[in-house]
Amino acid sequence: MAIRVIQADVEAILLREFTTGDNITPFIAVASRLVDWLEVEDTDSVLSAAELIDIELYISAHFYAKANQRFSDKKTEDASATFQGTTAMFLQYTDYGQVALLLDTTGNLAKRQKEAVSGKQEAQILYIGDLA
């Protein structure tokens, strides 16, 4: 499967959060693999190609924003700062991740996030044959 978005697309939604000269390609690559997984999981083809592009765009922006955290509180006198969100929030950490979750009408991203939070993933065993 191919990468669906380019750096200019992601820069366009990041607006003031983007630092000129930053390379977003690694974030796009990871987002693309996640959306590839999402497309495979979508066995009923609920998500259109355009929706997959939008989801990849917002997940790319999410990963970039996560790596370049925004301040929720700053102080100049004491040089104190508080960053937005917490690590355990996963895609809910940024507005971009929240949009990606909203765009995924299959619910598979939310399910995967829940599994990551709980540390559980479903294992399946297929047995074909005779035990004797």
Side-chain angles (χ1 to χ4, degrees), residues 2-104:
I3 290 177
R4 298 163 186 84
V5 300
I6 60 172
Q7 176 149 336
D9 298 331
V10 181
E11 286 177 21
I13 66 165
L14 286 168
L15 301 173
R16 292 174 290 148
E17 292 184 49
F18 177 70
T19 303
T20 303
D22 280 359
N23 180 10
I24 299 178
T25 305
F27 305 109
I28 293 171
V30 173
S32 180
R33 287 191 293 276
L34 184 54
V35 175
D36 288 347
W37 168 84
L38 182 61
E39 184 176 19
V40 169
E41 290 295 306
D42 183 14
T43 56
D44 295 331
S45 299
V46 172
L47 298 170
S48 68
E51 289 169 319
L52 291 170
I53 290 169
D54 290 343
I55 292 168
E56 186 168 310
L57 176 64
Y58 279 90
I59 293 175
S60 298
H62 164 77
F63 287 142
Y64 174 83
K66 178 73 174 94
N68 297 282
Q69 297 179 26
R70 293 188 293 181
F71 294 110
S72 64
D73 186 36
K74 297 186 227 183
K75 291 183 182 177
T76 55
E77 261 328 287
D78 302 326
S80 172
T82 305
F83 291 103
Q84 179 188 48
T86 62
T87 305
M89 292 171 60
F90 295 94
L91 285 172
Q92 293 176 346
Y93 179 87
T94 67
D95 294 340
Y96 308 109
Q98 292 169 26
V99 170
L101 286 167
L102 181 65
L103 292 172
D104 174 24

